[in-house]
């Protein structure tokens, strides 16, 4: 731009002008959104402050400590409501900075905490869950159940562990070996080259290779699988014909993908490779579909009931038949999800009483320690949604500068706009 304008200025001068730019003063917000943002993910973090009524960024702080938020609130009095995540540092900083302020626990973070809590509960019953999902797939007797069980394992390409699966399995074995020698999670993470949460997940999962396998990646054929199974059961066993049918519906993939899927259907139905007649057993489900992982099941339980399809609901129903205490925890988790989404504050106290006597007692205990903020989340309309949106904008600006800008320059770009 300087060359085009024939101005003799360099990068250093322009950055100095931006740093010295006077940002217009904004009034102290009445409703403040507080959240953290990563300077370097997993290592250093800052804090972003947003006026939720005006939808504007007020300031960014160099760290995410309670002391920084407390000092900011004391320097600019007038904040009446603080919407935050469940972090204890922000709760402490807001309480000490403005003692009479109303704190609101963000509803999305409440649901995220619920998913994490139910995941830990399911993890303790992982082997029972795997057995429950592997068996009882059919609804028409033992013969159909055997067919369904074969369907879930028929795709040999998916059944064989990949190089990534083997590498992941070796990492988990190394984690358990170092743990047996007395290493801490932090030391193991630094030695293996993974984060602390991954070490905790490997230790909780045990040495089962099935717990390490990643979920099925989305493919072009995914939206048409149900239609192809329906056509297969109706007697169409020709891969080329099925490919032409779904191409008229918008399928943009190659014939090879369809052929592999039809081959899996053929093996599951007991047909030899060159038979085209409508014999053999029908396919009750997608033969390349894997059973849901523990993490996927936790998300299904926390999801809104009206967004669950028939198969998702079937998986949750099977979980409820494993153990009475597990069934109670799942029912309470789904009740909490509905209560938060519909902001049914009148149900909160009774739910906490029931949850304290269930497998979700630790989650309920955490909610009781932050009771006023949780209750406010079900009463007041404010949330951290706009704050998260501004964090995305901040990340965009940060990456435009290749993540190398100092916080003062990033603050100027964020506020002066």
């Amino acid at each position: 731009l300087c060359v085009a304008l024939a101005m003799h200025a360099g990068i250093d001068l322009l950055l100095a002008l931006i740093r010295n730019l006077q940002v217009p003063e904004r009034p102290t917000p009445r409703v403040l959104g507080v959240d953290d943002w990563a300077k370097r993910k997993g290592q250093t973090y800052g804090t972003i402050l947003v006026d939720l009524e005006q939808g504007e960024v007020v300031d960014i702080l160099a760290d995410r400590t309670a002391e920084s938020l407390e000092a900011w609130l004391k320097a600019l009095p007038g904040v009446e409501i603080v919407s935050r995540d469940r972090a204890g540092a922000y709760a402490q900083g807001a309480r000490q900075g403005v003692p009479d302020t109303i704190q609101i626990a963000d509803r999305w973070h409440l649901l995220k905490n619920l998913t994490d809590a139910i995941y830990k509960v399911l993890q303790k019953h992982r082997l029972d869950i795997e057995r429950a999902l592997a068996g009882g797939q059919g609804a028409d007797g033992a013969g159909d159940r055997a067919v369904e069980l074969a369907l879930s394992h028929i795709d040999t390409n998916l059944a064989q562990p990949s190089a990534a699966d083997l590498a992941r399995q070796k990492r988990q074995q190394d984690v358990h070996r170092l743990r047996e020698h007395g290493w801490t999670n932090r030391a193991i993470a630094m030695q293996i080259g993974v984060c602390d949460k991954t070490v905790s997940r490997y230790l909780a999962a045990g040495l089962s290779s099935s717990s390490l396998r990643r979920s099925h990646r989305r493919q072009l054929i995914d939206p048409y699988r149900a239609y192809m199974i329906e056509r297969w059961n109706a007697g169409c066993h020709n891969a080329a014909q099925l490919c032409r049918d779904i191409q008229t519906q918008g399928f943009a993939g190659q014939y090879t993908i369809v052929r592999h899927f039809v081959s899996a259907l053929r093996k599951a139905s007991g047909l030899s490779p060159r038979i085209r007649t409508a014999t053999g057993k029908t396919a009750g489900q997608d033969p390349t579909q894997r059973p849901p992982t523990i993490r996927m099941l936790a998300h299904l339980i926390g999801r809104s009931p009206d967004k669950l399809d028939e198969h998702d609901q079937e998986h949750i129903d099977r979980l409820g038949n494993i153990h009475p205490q597990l069934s109670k925890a799942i029912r309470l988790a789904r009740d909490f999800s509905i209560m938060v989404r519909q902001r049914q504050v009148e149900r909160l106290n009774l739910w906490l009483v029931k949850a304290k006597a269930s497998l979700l007692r630790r989650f309920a205990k955490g909610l009781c320690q932050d009771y006023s903020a949780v209750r406010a989340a079900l009463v007041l309309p404010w949330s951290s949604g706009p704050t998260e949106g501004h964090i995305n904008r901040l990340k965009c600006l940060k990456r435009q500068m290749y993540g190398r800008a100092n916080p003062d320059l990033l603050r100027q770009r964020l506020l002066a706009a």
Side-chain angles (χ1 to χ4, degrees), residues 104-207:
I104 302 177
D106 181 55
R107 288 183 289 276
W108 184 89
H109 286 91
L110 287 174
L111 295 176
K112 176 65 168 59
N113 297 150
L114 171 69
T115 301
D116 294 339
I118 198 66
Y119 170 77
K120 294 178 181 179
V121 171
L122 297 179
Q123 192 73 14
K124 295 179 181 179
H125 297 80
R126 179 177 55 81
L127 295 179
D128 293 334
I129 291 174
E130 289 180 354
R131 284 193 292 266
L133 296 182
Q137 297 281 345
D140 301 325
D144 290 337
R145 286 195 295 270
V147 173
E148 297 290 352
L149 182 60
L151 285 172
S152 62
H153 298 86
I154 197 65
D155 190 353
T156 55
N157 292 329
L158 292 177
Q160 296 297 329
S162 63
D165 291 329
L166 295 176
R168 199 175 299 115
Q169 185 175 6
K170 183 179 183 304
R171 283 199 301 270
Q172 188 177 36
Q173 292 172 350
D174 292 340
V175 167
H176 281 267
R177 176 175 53 81
L178 294 176
R179 186 64 172 178
E180 291 175 356
H181 286 79
W183 287 47
T184 64
N185 287 16
R186 181 61 176 170
I188 295 174
M190 295 179 64
Q191 177 69 18
I192 303 297
V194 296
C195 67
D196 296 354
K197 291 183 179 180
T198 302
V199 173
S200 300
R201 180 166 59 87
Y202 282 173
L203 292 174
L207 289 173

Side-chain angles (χ1 to χ4, degrees), residues 347-366:
R347 299 177 53 191
L348 178 60
N349 292 340
L350 180 59
W351 187 92
L352 289 173
V353 172
K354 294 180 179 179
K356 287 180 181 179
S358 71
L359 298 177
L360 293 175
R361 62 179 66 90
R362 292 187 62 182
F363 176 63
K365 181 180 178 181

Side-chain angles (χ1 to χ4, degrees), residues 200-253:
S200 300
R201 180 166 59 87
Y202 282 173
L203 292 174
L207 289 173
S208 173
S209 61
S210 62
S211 63
L212 300 177
R213 184 167 294 174
R214 299 295 179 90
S215 59
H216 171 68
R217 293 185 177 180
R218 182 170 177 81
Q219 297 178 344
L220 292 175
I221 200 175
D222 287 350
Y224 310 98
R225 292 178 186 269
Y227 171 78
M228 293 179 65
I229 292 176
E230 181 181 354
R231 294 278 287 122
W232 174 271
N233 292 334
C236 181
H237 297 169
N238 188 296
Q241 180 60 46
L242 290 173
C243 183
R244 288 192 292 269
D245 291 345
I246 63 177
Q247 282 176 344
T248 61
Q249 301 179 17
F251 174 66

Side-chain angles (χ1 to χ4, degrees), residues 339-399:
M339 179 176 62
V340 172
R341 285 185 165 90
Q342 299 181 5
R343 294 166 55 192
Q344 300 173 346
V345 66
E346 67 279 359
R347 299 177 53 191
L348 178 60
N349 292 340
L350 180 59
W351 187 92
L352 289 173
V353 172
K354 294 180 179 179
K356 287 180 181 179
S358 71
L359 298 177
L360 293 175
R361 62 179 66 90
R362 292 187 62 182
F363 176 63
K365 181 180 178 181
L367 295 181
C368 290
Q369 293 174 349
D370 201 16
Y371 177 79
S372 59
V374 173
R375 181 178 177 82
L378 304 184
V379 176
L380 301 176
W382 307 105
S383 73
S384 295
T387 309
E388 298 288 353
H390 281 289
I391 290 177
N392 286 337
R393 174 169 160 253
L394 183 150
K395 290 179 179 178
C396 180
L397 294 175
K398 176 171 159 298
R399 287 165 182 161

